[in-house]
Amino acid sequence: MADRQLPCPDCGSPVRPDVEQLCPRCGYPLMFLRQQPAEHDARAVPRSPNERDDGTGTMMPAPVARTQRTAPAPIPGQYPCPQCGYGNEPVRIRCERCGYELRAARPQAVVLGPPPARPPHARGGWGWVIAVLALAAIAVLALVAVLLFA
């Protein structure tokens, strides 16, 4: 599961929440995107000492009442959230205040250009001539050594 990639909820770049702590592009915390084992999702139901277990063993949390707050007017250049009216930067994917999805969270594709052209291999020059002369000199020295010590 460590290779699982998801789009960052804030900037949309690909992240690996099971490996990384924060989004490498925007620093968004990725702890809520991690997969938890099923045993952590269940909450124990309090029971009386002699009460029989009904087999469910779980309960749903009570709904939390939300209070309406008025959002400040967005600054020019900011995008107002359709749900709460909070002014968000245009690059955001989710509202900074309420988490409403402002646009689809898709990582932007990276378009690669053509590979760089290789310069043609330079032929010619004096490098090969010097190499041939050095080899010839070594061969002559080897021949002289053989003739003198033979």
Side-chain angles (χ1 to χ4, degrees):
M1 278 291 169
D3 294 322
R4 182 175 68 111
Q5 276 195 343
L6 297 171
C8 172
D10 196 33
C11 68
S13 65
V15 294
R16 296 177 310 172
D18 299 321
V19 176
E20 300 168 330
Q21 297 290 322
L22 302 171
C23 174
R25 183 171 176 211
C26 69
Y28 186 85
L30 303 174
M31 66 183 136
F32 299 114
L33 299 177
R34 293 193 186 107
Q35 288 184 339
Q36 298 292 329
E39 62 197 34
H40 293 295
D41 290 342
R43 293 188 173 92
V45 177
R47 300 191 187 285
S48 300
N50 294 328
E51 187 178 356
R52 294 185 55 190
D53 186 10
D54 64 354
T56 61
T58 60
M59 68 177 189
M60 294 298 291
V64 178
R66 293 188 179 209
T67 59
Q68 287 287 3
R69 291 185 285 169
T70 58
I75 298 171
Q78 290 184 338
Y79 178 74
C81 174
Q83 183 167 334
C84 71
Y86 185 80
N88 293 282
E89 297 297 322
V91 295
R92 292 193 64 91
I93 291 178
R94 293 189 183 275
C95 176
E96 187 174 2
R97 182 177 190 203
C98 70
Y100 182 79
E101 191 168 325
L102 301 172
R103 59 185 172 96
R106 284 187 221 113
Q108 296 177 355
V110 176
V111 179
L112 299 176
R118 287 184 159 186
H121 187 64
R123 299 227 180 233
W126 291 97
W128 67 274
V129 174
I130 294 171
V132 169
L133 289 176
L135 286 175
I138 292 173
V140 168
L141 288 175
L143 182 60
V144 169
V146 170
L147 292 176
L148 288 176
F149 295 112

